[in-house]
Amino acid sequence: MASISTMNWLFVCGVSFCLGGIAVLSLMPLSSDCICPLSNPLSRFSSAASAASTYTPVKHESKRPHKLALLVPFRDRFEELLQFVPHMTKFLKRQDVVHHIFVINQVDRYRFNRASLINVGFHFAGDVYDYIAMHDVDLLPLNDALLYEYPSNLGPLHIAGPKLHPKYHYDKFVGGILLVRSEHFKLMNGMSNQYWGWGLEDDEFYVRIRDAGLQVTRPQNIKTGVNDTFSHIHNRHHRKRDTTKCFNQKEVTRKRDHNTGLSNVDYKILKVHELTIDGVGITVLNVLLECDVNKTPWCDCNGSAAAASAVQTK
Ligand SMILES: *[C@@H]1O[C@H](CO)[C@@H](O)[C@H](O)[C@H]1NC(C)=O
Ligand SMILES: *[C@@H]1O[C@H](CO)[C@@H](O)[C@H](O)[C@H]1NC(C)=O
């Protein structure tokens, strides 16, 4: 895709470096910018357990014992990513949160599937990180009182609560930015894989939270309100939301999905890029989602994606 070819020039910490550098890296004090999460991201392909075992926690002065994986579902948002990475890094550094940014880049031609991308990101990082942030790339926190802390045992911590989010103000809203303990994400079987196109996957996740006996907590005593708590860098004229509904999408996506989730998300990771934006090392996963058009035909309303994907995987 176009934005990735643009990114190639930013390619600094390549896979060959990571492979060759494992021994060196474990001796060298790493800069706190690059918390290389998995010494060898590709080992993930052979087995999840081996990836987790090759991980050497970085010596970090942080008093916080928990590690956060920011999972950023992504497609064609290069300018937003260029703002997001330095902003979040500075923001989280002020809070001393040990973290790493994973951009989950959907490269197939099916409609965007935010929830499945989060499931894929969790498969990649969930064993090594204690909690995840499902994080929109276009929503930047401005208020330092929004603490990205390890969620309490009650359940997920919704940073972009309805009293703070610039746009969504209903009580059950859990979109935008949601922090979830890895153990809780597993308990809920992650998110539904049925949501192709924009919207509603977060509302279904709300029901999963409730069904698991968990509850959503939100930051308290934030005084900056709906206009000044976040910067919403989304340009809705330039980036039209894909709100099409086709086949029986409308009917199915209004119901709780008991069948799909983390356990059966169907995907391939085509490539893992370690790249650097303004000195910050991030990991980009190029993900090819598979869609069973007999089950969720609305992943491809007009049949154009299947043809495009067939060409792409040859
Ligand atoms: C937020 O901004 C909108 C648009 O400028 C304005 O109408 C609204 O009153 C503001 N809300 C608050 C709580 O300041
Ligand atoms: C087919 O559907 C996709 C995704 O909904 C849309 O972007 C594209 O414009 C459609 N193509 C045609 C020819 O209608």
Side-chain angles (χ1 to χ4, degrees), residues 177-197:
I177 306 165
L178 185 69
L179 274 48
V180 186
R181 282 192 186 193
S182 298
E183 70 205 54
H184 287 162
F185 195 76
K186 276 187 217 157
L187 179 72
M188 292 182 270
N189 192 21
M191 301 187 81
S192 169
N193 297 308
Q194 298 190 327
Y195 291 80
W196 303 89

Side-chain angles (χ1 to χ4, degrees), residues 105-132:
N105 181 31
Q106 186 176 344
V107 299
D108 56 82
R109 285 296 120 207
Y110 293 113
R111 299 170 73 200
F112 190 60
N113 190 329
R114 176 177 179 269
S116 287
L117 293 173
I118 291 169
N119 286 338
V120 173
F122 187 86
H123 274 300
F124 192 83
D127 287 345
V128 167
Y129 289 81
D130 307 294
Y131 64 125
I132 60 167

Side-chain angles (χ1 to χ4, degrees), residues 95-113:
Q95 297 182 14
D96 208 16
V97 173
V98 182
H99 69 281
H100 188 79
I101 296 173
F102 295 89
V103 175
I104 324 296
N105 181 31
Q106 186 176 344
V107 299
D108 56 82
R109 285 296 120 207
Y110 293 113
R111 299 170 73 200
F112 190 60
N113 190 329

Side-chain angles (χ1 to χ4, degrees), residues 124-193:
F124 192 83
D127 287 345
V128 167
Y129 289 81
D130 307 294
Y131 64 125
I132 60 167
M134 310 173 178
H135 212 302
D136 285 356
V137 71
D138 60 7
L139 197 62
L140 309 182
L142 300 176
N143 186 335
D144 284 328
L146 294 169
L147 299 180
Y148 280 49
E149 56 197 355
Y150 186 59
S152 77
N153 55 13
L154 295 176
L157 171 58
H158 190 213
I159 299 290
K163 294 195 170 72
L164 305 174
H165 192 283
K167 212 167 157 187
Y168 302 107
H169 305 131
Y170 54 99
D171 280 351
K172 295 177 179 176
F173 176 63
V174 289
I177 306 165
L178 185 69
L179 274 48
V180 186
R181 282 192 186 193
S182 298
E183 70 205 54
H184 287 162
F185 195 76
K186 276 187 217 157
L187 179 72
M188 292 182 270
N189 192 21
M191 301 187 81
S192 169
N193 297 308

Side-chain angles (χ1 to χ4, degrees), residues 197-243:
W198 185 83
L200 293 180
E201 79 292 339
D202 46 356
D203 294 340
E204 200 273 350
F205 193 65
Y206 178 86
V207 184
R208 291 186 181 221
I209 296 170
R210 198 195 58 194
D211 288 356
L214 300 173
Q215 69 188 59
V216 176
T217 60
R218 298 201 169 100
Q220 301 298 311
N221 301 316
I222 303 293
K223 313 279 188 219
T224 40
V226 296
N227 288 338
D228 302 312
T229 304
F230 297 96
S231 167
H232 198 210
I233 57 176
H234 179 82
N235 181 330
R236 67 193 162 85
H237 302 289
H238 180 44
R239 307 283 190 194
K240 290 245 183 308
R241 292 199 165 107
D242 171 16
T243 55

